[in-house]
Amino acid sequence: MLRTDERALLVDLLTPPEPGYRLERAVGTTFTMQLESLLRVPLAVVGAEWRDGADPLGIMEAVRSSADRIDVFCQAGMVTIPSSSNALLAFLEPLVHQVRRPQPGHLFHPKVWLASFVHPEHERRFRFLCGSRNLTGDRAWDTVLALSGVQTGARRAVNRPLGEFVASLPERVPEGVPADRSAGVIQLAEWVRYADWEPPAGITDHDWLAFHWMDRGRRFTGDFNGTRDRLVISPFLNEQGLATVWPTGACTVVSRPESFAALGPEYLEQLRDEWEAPLFELDDNAALPDEDDEDIETRWSLSGLHAKVIVLERGFKSHVFIGSANATDAAWSGNTEFVVEVVGPRKSFGVKAVLADTDGGLLHVLRPYTGSAVEAPDEPTLQEQLEWALVDVAALTFLANARKLDDDTWVEEVKSRSNVPGAFPGNANLTARLLTYGDGVSVAANSKLDASWSGLSPDEITPFIALELTAGPTSKRVRAGCVVLATLTGDPPDRLDRLIARQVGSPEAFLRFLLLLLQIGRGESSDIAALLGDGGGADRGAFGLGSGGVLESLVLALAEHPQSIDEVDALATRLSATEEGRAVLPPEWNEFWPQILEARDRVRGGSA
């Protein structure tokens, strides 16, 4: 199943499959990550698709309410520095887990999502994604396989690699994952061992699915031999990688022009002349949609090839491999990668079907590669060297401690347990700063990071540390940066609650957000309004119930979505815990809100 819109994928993955189901647990993995993109994930939990300019408080509350159910694992050193400051990123801190390299010179590279849903009366349901899409805002062409499943009463052998892979994630984090989160991930890994997956349309065979987890000490267990025809789609190539995924037979290769060129003249000539392999690159101009295409908005914004697919044919069957692995030696012998193999009829899933120029086939967005080979550079560019060096720096353990000063401001100290590398490429300079604070501190090579920032407000305290390497002459500076997550201690326990209060800002803003949080749309009051009584003397006009439609929305929420009252109550409780928060609640809140809670309890009691 080819999907190109990350936002739709996350909404599909995390939105409950049927009424009555709720998200129980979600685990994701990615190589690179943008924190801004991670904000979209909690929105999907509450069924809200990301929109530019979405209410910051709405985003924050979605993150807060779902944070305990989501965990995302990514390669340390591959979290990009946000282009602008965003206070909402503080609510992502519990979700992010940065993992070490599987071994020197290799990377943690899988892109999978697994989610479970529960229902009070029905069996547990699963959704699973595997593909080439990182958790970033990149708009390249990607391929993603999406599966839905249900929990059965017996383990399925096919699920063993998936379950073992998910269970391995917490132990990859150098400082470990909090016990409750680690237990949740491992429990999900156990549940998915019992999953029965629904096959894609057109597949009827019993053995249609296989999961392939490659890692340190774990080789690919599939079979690339004995095929009649083959297709390899990979943005990155090298001779050893192609030899792995294409040991025999005919093959069509789709890649980026720079990757073909870097293969070198001798090998490129061998591909074309000796092996007669058709070589294709993406034609971005041909990929532009017609005006009446249903996916016109998505396709207009896509550019560049990032998909990773292998299709091979055996008899009347076709084996389709979709996942994170490029056609490189690192992908198949050292990186942590995950690939799903689907077996279906050759007529529908074979090379000709994929490369068709009609019915959504790829041929109409491809063009033959006619370029020449170039001599591969002896060494990576300075930019690449700096990025790789940051992966090693990010693998260190960082500790952060916050202390309150006599003037009610705070100081945060950040240290590394061990020295940064002894030398940086191009004599680069390493700086570190708090993600919430602009001043950077220089860190000498072969020494520990030991820096502090003072005069901070509570919401400027953060475990997110921005690292940056800068090299080259002033006129041609080369920069590489990343965000790392330190272990934070000493921060005020109400730090995030104060941030909520700051985002709310005023009683009027709280009322506007209350309406947003209810999310029940328009409607007329029902007889359930009688449960609210006469207001107990509260001044509804001052509270804004009549003019703002708050009362009507609350009545409808009580009748149709009483769980939204719980969400408002949780928010109000957190706001009430701080002086800043109490200041943004409407003046009559403490008199009015208990009546709403009493009405909620009476509604639930009547439906029990």
Side-chain angles (χ1 to χ4, degrees):
M1 174 170 159
L2 182 66
R3 299 294 297 271
T4 55
D5 190 339
E6 168 205 357
R7 296 171 294 180
L9 284 170
L10 291 175
V11 171
D12 291 346
L13 173 75
L14 298 174
T15 300
E18 295 178 7
Y21 276 92
R22 66 174 181 85
L23 178 74
E24 179 181 37
R25 196 88 201 176
V27 174
T29 66
T30 181
F31 172 51
T32 57
M33 183 169 69
Q34 294 174 345
L35 294 173
E36 305 97 315
S37 294
L38 181 56
L39 282 173
R40 299 170 181 167
V41 178
L43 284 180
V45 174
V46 295
E49 189 169 355
W50 174 268
R51 302 181 307 274
D52 292 336
D55 185 278
L57 186 57
I59 299 171
M60 180 173 55
E61 186 59 21
V63 175
R64 182 75 181 242
S65 64
S66 60
D68 292 340
R69 294 174 283 164
I70 302 172
D71 293 278
V72 181
F73 297 81
C74 65
Q75 171 66 57
M78 289 296 169
V79 179
T80 60
I81 299 176
S83 57
S84 59
S85 177
N86 189 339
L88 301 179
L89 300 182
F91 292 88
L92 300 177
E93 295 166 9
L95 283 67
V96 179
H97 310 293
Q98 295 181 295
V99 308
R100 65 174 73 90
R101 291 178 184 268
Q103 56 186 319
H106 291 80
L107 297 165
F108 178 82
H109 197 249
K111 302 106 167 55
V112 304
W113 280 92
L114 175 64
S116 63
F117 300 86
V118 289
H119 190 286
E121 299 177 358
H122 301 299
E123 65 280 347
R124 181 176 283 109
R125 302 277 292 271
F126 300 99
R127 287 216 187 93
F128 174 72
L129 299 180
C130 181
S132 57
R133 169 69 69 179
N134 286 303
L135 192 52
T136 70
D138 293 345
R139 306 301 300 166
W141 289 82
D142 279 285
T143 307
V144 180
L145 176 74
L147 298 176
S148 296
V150 61
Q151 184 171 347
T152 65
R155 284 188 173 190
R156 305 295 177 99
V158 67
N159 295 318
R160 180 175 178 179
L162 175 58
E164 291 181 345
F165 168 69
V166 174
S168 77
L169 295 173
E171 65 189 28
R172 298 170 183 269
V173 181
E175 287 301 293
V177 174
D180 57 338
R181 288 185 171 274
S182 179
V185 173
I186 293 173
Q187 182 64 75
L188 178 60
E190 176 62 21
W191 285 328
V192 81
R193 298 281 292 271
Y194 294 79
D196 181 28
W197 302 102
E198 179 182 350
I203 294 180
T204 58
D205 286 4
H206 176 70
D207 296 326
W208 62 273
L209 177 67
F211 297 109
H212 299 287
W213 165 28
M214 287 84 74
D215 213 332
R216 180 178 182 179
R218 294 183 64 101
R219 295 283 182 168
F220 174 65
T221 57
D223 182 10
F224 286 143
N225 289 295
T227 65
R228 51 182 292 171
D229 200 0
R230 187 185 315 256
L231 169 66
V232 173
I233 303 175
S234 176
F236 302 101
L237 307 168
N238 64 25
E239 184 173 350
Q240 299 91 333
L242 280 173
T244 298
V245 301
W246 177 19
T248 59
C251 183
T252 299
V253 183
V254 179
S255 187
R256 297 175 177 176
E258 59 269 26
S259 296
F260 280 130
L263 290 174
E266 183 177 342
Y267 187 65
L268 190 60
E269 181 180 357
Q270 191 174 34
L271 290 178
R272 284 171 165 164
D273 299 336
E274 182 177 343
W275 296 339
E276 299 181 341
L279 308 181
F280 288 94
E281 61 179 287
L282 184 68
D283 185 352
D284 282 327
N285 290 326
L288 296 178
D290 295 329
E291 291 184 2
D292 56 351
D293 278 4
E294 61 181 16
D295 60 350
I296 184 170
E297 292 186 4
T298 297
R299 287 183 56 190
W300 268 112
S301 63
L302 297 177
S303 178
L305 178 71
H306 194 247
K308 302 162 180 67
V309 182
I310 299 169
V311 181
L312 56 89
E313 300 175 353
R314 294 194 186 101
F316 293 103
K317 301 294 182 182
S318 180
H319 297 247
V320 182
F321 298 83
I322 296 176
S324 60
N326 285 288
T328 63
D329 56 330
W332 299 93
S333 60
N335 282 358
T336 302
E337 307 274 4
F338 205 90
V339 173
V340 179
E341 177 183 1
V342 174
V343 183
R346 177 165 54 89
K347 181 178 180 180
S348 301
F349 293 85
V351 174
K352 289 185 178 179
V354 175
L355 290 179
D357 56 3
T358 58
D359 298 328
L362 290 179
L363 193 60
H364 72 288
V365 298
L366 301 176
R367 63 186 177 197
Y369 172 70
T370 58
S372 303
V374 297
E375 292 295 337
D378 294 333
E379 300 215 352
T381 64
L382 180 57
Q383 180 72 46
E384 293 169 334
Q385 294 179 59
L386 294 181
E387 291 171 354
W388 277 86
L390 271 180
V391 173
D392 293 328
V393 176
L396 302 178
T397 298
F398 297 91
L399 305 175
N401 178 259
R403 291 184 292 108
K404 190 175 183 179
L405 302 178
D406 293 339
D407 62 356
D408 287 337
T409 64
W410 290 76
V411 60
E412 181 174 347
E413 301 170 338
V414 178
K415 300 181 180 182
S416 62
R417 279 189 173 171
S418 53
N419 291 351
V420 301
F424 296 121
N427 295 318
N429 178 54
L430 175 65
T431 59
R433 64 175 174 86
L434 303 181
L435 192 60
T436 55
Y437 196 78
D439 293 342
V441 175
S442 182
V443 184
N446 200 30
S447 66
K448 294 181 180 179
L449 167 62
D450 188 353
S452 64
W453 293 265
S454 59
L456 304 177
S457 61
D459 56 357
E460 289 177 318
I461 299 170
T462 178
F464 285 133
I465 312 300
L467 303 176
E468 190 172 43
L469 279 172
T470 307
T474 304
S475 60
K476 296 182 179 180
R477 301 297 275 175
V478 179
R479 300 177 184 273
C482 72
V483 175
V484 296
L485 190 66
T487 300
L488 176 62
T489 58
D491 57 314
D494 59 357
R495 175 169 61 95
L496 298 184
D497 293 328
R498 295 189 188 201
L499 181 56
I500 291 177
R502 181 176 175 182
Q503 291 294 318
V504 173
S506 68
E508 292 75 19
F510 176 84
L511 290 179
R512 288 194 298 270
F513 178 62
L514 188 151
L515 288 169
L516 173 67
L517 195 60
L518 295 176
Q519 293 187 22
I520 59 174
R522 295 182 179 179
E524 295 185 357
S525 301
S526 66
D527 292 340
I528 202 169
L531 293 171
L532 296 176
D534 62 4
D539 184 352
R540 293 186 179 180
F543 185 64
L545 294 175
S547 60
V550 177
L551 178 60
E552 181 181 11
S553 295
L554 285 168
V555 168
L556 288 171
L558 285 166
E560 302 174 9
H561 305 279
Q563 67 273 16
S564 63
I565 301 297
D566 300 340
E567 296 170 0
V568 174
D569 186 51
L571 172 63
T573 299
R574 291 197 299 273
L575 289 174
S576 298
T578 66
E579 182 178 350
E580 295 94 332
R582 290 189 290 273
V584 302
L585 291 173
E588 295 78 15
W589 180 260
N590 289 334
E591 291 77 26
F592 173 80
W593 190 243
Q595 300 175 63
I596 300 296
L597 297 182
E598 181 182 355
R600 176 202 60 186
D601 295 340
R602 292 170 64 183
V603 169
R604 285 177 171 167
S607 61

